Every structure is written in C-alpha cells, then in structure tokens.
C-alpha cells in the first residue's frame, strides 16, 4: 500500500511538472509568435515639402508602390500628409510631425523645408526610437539616420550646366562670347539648393564651362520660396532682364519643379519677349510639367533635367522600412530593393538614387510623371 501510494504521488508530481512545463513552453511560443507578428506591424509616416504639386505627387506614388510591395505578407501602413503649396513652412511640417510622434509611428520620412529649424523635432522622434529618414532635401546629420538623395550633388550641377551649355553654344555663345547666368532656387535654407549652387559655381571655374558667368549673385540668384505667386512674379522679372546683349541675362535655370515651368510660362506671357534664339531656359521639373513648353517651337525652353520622382519616393520608404526591420543600419554601405536592385550608401549616410536625366522634344513623351 505504501509503495503504491508513493508511486501514485510521484506520478502525479511528474504529470504536474510536465503540464507546467508544457504550459510554459506554449506560453513562450505564443509570446515569440506575438513578437514576430508585432515586428511585422509597421507604420511609416511620409511628409513631403508640399501636397498638390506634380513632383511630390510622383514621389507619393513611389511611396505607395513601396507599401504595396511590403504589404505582401506584412502589416505595413502608410501615413501620408503635408502642407499645401502656399503653406510649405517648417512650422506646418513640425505640426504634422508632432502628431505622428504622439502616435508612436515606427518611421518618419521627410522632405525637409528648413534644414536646421526642423532638427529638434526630428531628434525628439529619434529619442523615442522612431527611425528618421530624409529625402530630396536633408537636415543636419545628427537629426536623421539616412538621407535618400536623388542624385549626387556633382551629377545634378553638371546635368544642369550640360543642358544649358549645349544650347548656349548652339546659339553663338562660347569662348568669344560670355553668357550671363541667373538661377531660380527656393530659399537659402534649402540644403540641396545651396549645395547645387556651390557645385555650379565651382564648375563654372573649369575650362568646360568658363564662358558662363554669374555676374552678381545678390541680384542673379532668385529665392521666391514655395509660394507659386511669388515664383511666377520673380520669374517674370527675370524674363524681362533677358536678351542677347552683353548686359542681359542670357541663360536662366531653375532648381525647382515650380520655377522651371514658371520661366517658360512667363516667357509666353511677356509683352516684350526677348529673342528666343538669343536666350536659354532650362531646369529641374517633371517631364509632364514641361512637355507642352518643350514641344512649343516658339518657346526657348527646350530641355528639362530630373530623375525618377517615383523611384525617389519608393527608395525613401523602403529605406525607412529596412531600418525598422533591421535589414540595414545607419552604418550600412548599400541597400537592396526589389525594384531598384542595389543602391549605394555613401559616407555621411547618403543613399544615392542614381544619375540625372536630361529630356528634350524627342524623349519627353517617354516619361509619364
């Protein structure tokens, strides 16, 4: 009896231990499963410089493409918002960012309006563990993990000058005839615009472009900001200063997708048009925004310069996701995506999309953005 009782008790204890062990294992498996599921639930907030403008709309399409690709087997949500064109200010961006920080989103992607003013808010997000990526225009390096740059600075500056120089030479400018250059930027606080300007000024010192001059930076570099009315007004003023004489502006190029078509439309609207065969207009803008002007033989805007805006939005969103997922870090040397393959990450955390695209009347219809 005692032996049987002892056997029964031992068996009961063993069964209890097994049940507890099984329960613990099941609980651990459930926790691991929940952790895996939680890791797949990602919220990415994308903030452009402005909404309702063709450049940023194309970038948005790329972000949506990235989310659609990532959502195959994963729970990935895109939050997308931005200020309207006439309110593209740092404060409006900060207001949107504060809301997303309060929601504990996993990543934030920002097209920066003001390089330094936005930094404290982005640093606040990073302190909460949110992955911060900038695209199109950067903040200070301490306020983000990676910057997705559409092209290397030298590539953009050279692309713009190549586009301008070829046409200027065809119109008689060169070593024996200086061409005066004016530039339409956005603001002095835009990092990329200041970097492009600095690189253009450096290239103008080389033999290849030495016949092109910025005679007076104070008067010949325009900063209308993001307001469309101001942009149109300043471009009209610039067109009125253009012509083929030595004291005229002979070439105007724009750094903004708003400014380049504004130059072309201001020429159309001018009461006293300069001779189209004596001036050159070019700049950055989407092919769709310049299509009609490029095809119009009466308009002096014959080329545009850009990159794939959709690919820029796609790569920026993918970069944010891969930071959240641990596939890359701020110290990685490259990022691989299904759509673009391998993209290099340069010193300083700069992800490079690719080279510039120069399009003209023969090629502009090949692009739909």
């Amino acid at each position: 009896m005692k032996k049987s009782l002892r056997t029964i008790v031992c068996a009961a204890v063993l069964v209890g231990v097994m049940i507890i062990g099984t329960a613990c294992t099941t609980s651990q498996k459930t926790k691991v499963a929940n952790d895996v599921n939680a890791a797949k639930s990602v919220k990415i907030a994308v903030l452009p410089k402005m909404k309702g403008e063709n450049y940023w709309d194309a970038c948005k399409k790329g972000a949506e493409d990235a989310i659609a690709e990532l959502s195959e087997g994963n729970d990935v949500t895109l939050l997308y918002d931005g200020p309207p064109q006439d309110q593209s200010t740092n404060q409006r961006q900060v207001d949107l960012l504060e809301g997303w920080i309060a929601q504990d989103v996993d990543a934030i992607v920002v097209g920066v309006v003001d390089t330094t003013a936005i930094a404290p808010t982005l640093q606040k997000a990073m302190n909460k563990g949110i992955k911060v990526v900038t695209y199109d225009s950067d903040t200070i390096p301490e306020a983000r993990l990676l910057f997705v740059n559409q092209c290397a600075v030298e590539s953009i500056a050279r692309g713009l000058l190549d586009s301008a120089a070829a046409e200027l030479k065809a119109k008689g400018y060169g070593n024996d005839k200086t061409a005066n250059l004016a530039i339409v930027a956005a603001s002095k606080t835009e990092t990329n615009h200041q970097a492009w300007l600095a690189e253009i000024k450096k290239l103008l010192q080389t033999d290849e472009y030495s016949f092109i001059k910025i005679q007076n930076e104070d008067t010949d570099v325009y900063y209308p900001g993001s307001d469309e009315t101001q942009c149109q007004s300043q471009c009209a003023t610039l067109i009125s200063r253009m012509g083929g004489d030595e004291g005229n502006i002979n070439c105007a190029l724009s750094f903004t997708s708003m400014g380049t078509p504004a130059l072309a439309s201001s020429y159309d609207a001018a009461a006293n048009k300069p001779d189209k065969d004596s001036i050159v207009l070019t700049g950055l803008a989407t092919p769709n925004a310049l299509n009609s002007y490029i095809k119009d033989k009466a308009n002096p805007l014959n080329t545009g310069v850009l990159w794939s805006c959709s690919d820029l939005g796609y790569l920026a969103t993918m970069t944010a996701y891969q930071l959240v997922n641990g596939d890359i870090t701020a110290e990685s040397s490259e990022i691989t995506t299904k759509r673009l393959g391998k993209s290099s990450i340069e010193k300083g955390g700069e992800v490079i999309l690719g080279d510039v695209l120069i399009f003209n009347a023969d090629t502009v219809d090949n692009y739909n953005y």
Side-chain angles (χ1 to χ4, degrees):
M1 286 289 292
K2 290 181 179 180
K3 185 176 181 180
S4 298
L5 181 60
R6 189 161 52 248
T7 300
I8 292 170
V9 170
C10 288
V13 170
L14 180 60
V15 170
V17 170
M18 291 175 66
I19 290 171
I20 292 171
T22 301
C24 289
T25 302
T26 301
S27 176
Q28 289 171 345
K29 287 181 178 178
T30 301
K31 184 180 185 303
V32 169
N34 287 339
D35 287 346
V36 170
N37 289 333
K40 290 183 179 179
S41 179
V42 176
K43 286 185 179 180
I44 301 175
V46 177
L47 174 61
K49 288 181 182 176
M50 63 189 77
K51 292 193 303 184
E53 193 270 339
N54 58 352
Y55 177 94
W56 293 103
D57 287 347
C59 289
K60 178 185 179 183
K61 177 61 169 60
E64 291 170 340
D65 291 344
I67 296 299
E69 182 183 312
L70 292 169
S71 294
E72 296 176 4
N74 301 300
D75 180 12
V76 186
T77 303
L78 172 67
L79 304 177
Y80 188 95
D81 202 358
Q85 289 187 45
D86 61 346
Q87 298 175 39
S88 179
T89 64
N90 178 71
Q91 188 56 55
R92 288 301 301 270
Q93 287 198 314
V94 166
D95 291 343
L96 290 166
L97 287 171
E98 289 288 1
W100 287 335
I101 292 170
Q103 293 180 49
D104 287 324
V105 298
D106 298 285
I108 289 171
V109 180
V110 189
V112 174
V113 170
D114 190 314
T115 303
T116 54
I118 202 170
T121 306
L122 296 181
Q123 288 169 328
K124 176 181 177 180
M126 291 176 66
N127 290 339
K128 290 194 67 175
I130 297 171
K131 307 299 183 184
V132 174
V133 173
T134 55
Y135 74 128
D136 181 81
S137 184
D138 201 10
T139 182
I140 60 172
E142 297 80 12
R144 49 78 172 162
L145 293 172
L146 293 170
F147 165 47
V148 181
N149 196 354
Q150 46 271 44
C151 303
V153 169
E154 195 272 343
S155 176
I156 292 173
R158 188 172 290 276
L160 286 165
L161 284 181
D162 282 347
S163 177
E167 283 201 75
L168 284 168
K169 288 178 179 179
K171 293 183 177 182
Y173 298 92
N175 293 334
D176 297 327
K177 186 178 180 181
T178 297
N180 296 323
L181 173 67
I183 293 173
V184 180
S187 71
K188 293 183 178 181
T189 62
E190 292 229 19
T191 313
N192 53 353
H193 291 195
Q194 293 306 309
W196 299 341
L197 177 59
E199 187 65 25
I200 282 177
K201 287 161 64 177
K202 186 166 72 174
L203 288 172
L204 293 181
Q205 302 305 309
T206 66
D207 290 342
E208 188 174 0
Y209 308 106
S210 60
F211 72 96
I212 305 173
K213 308 286 186 183
I214 300 175
Q215 297 291 357
N216 186 335
E217 191 172 333
D218 290 336
T219 59
D220 299 346
V221 179
Y222 290 74
Y223 294 105
S226 60
D227 182 81
E228 192 168 4
T229 301
Q230 270 298 313
C231 185
Q232 200 71 43
S233 174
Q234 292 193 26
C235 284
T237 299
L238 174 51
I239 291 294
S240 72
R241 297 178 59 203
M242 297 189 75
D245 295 336
E246 186 177 334
N248 293 144
I249 297 295
N250 315 118
C251 176
L253 64 83
S254 170
F255 290 163
T256 77
S257 55
M258 189 185 298
T260 307
L263 285 171
S265 64
S266 293
Y267 179 86
D268 283 347
N272 297 307
K273 292 178 173 55
D275 179 6
K276 71 178 184 62
D277 293 323
S278 68
I279 67 169
V280 170
L281 304 179
T282 189
L284 301 174
T286 61
N288 285 352
L290 301 183
N291 192 304
S292 62
Y293 298 117
I294 287 175
K295 290 179 179 178
D296 183 358
K297 293 182 179 180
N299 194 290
L301 191 144
N302 297 318
T303 62
V305 182
L306 204 61
W307 44 86
S308 171
C309 306
S310 177
D311 284 350
L312 179 63
Y314 170 90
L315 184 57
T317 306
M318 281 293 190
T319 298
Y321 178 81
Q322 291 197 23
L323 283 170
V324 173
N325 209 40
D327 301 321
I328 60 170
T329 68
E331 287 72 43
S332 295
S333 61
E334 65 181 22
I335 175 175
T336 302
T337 59
K338 183 177 179 180
R339 176 157 145 182
L340 302 174
K342 291 183 179 180
S343 301
S344 65
I345 303 177
E346 305 296 329
K347 184 179 179 181
E350 186 175 330
V351 184
I352 303 295
L353 174 62
D355 292 324
V356 295
L357 166 74
I358 299 176
F359 48 91
N360 55 31
D362 293 329
T363 59
V364 67
D365 285 336
N366 295 340
Y367 312 101
N368 185 28
Y369 60 90

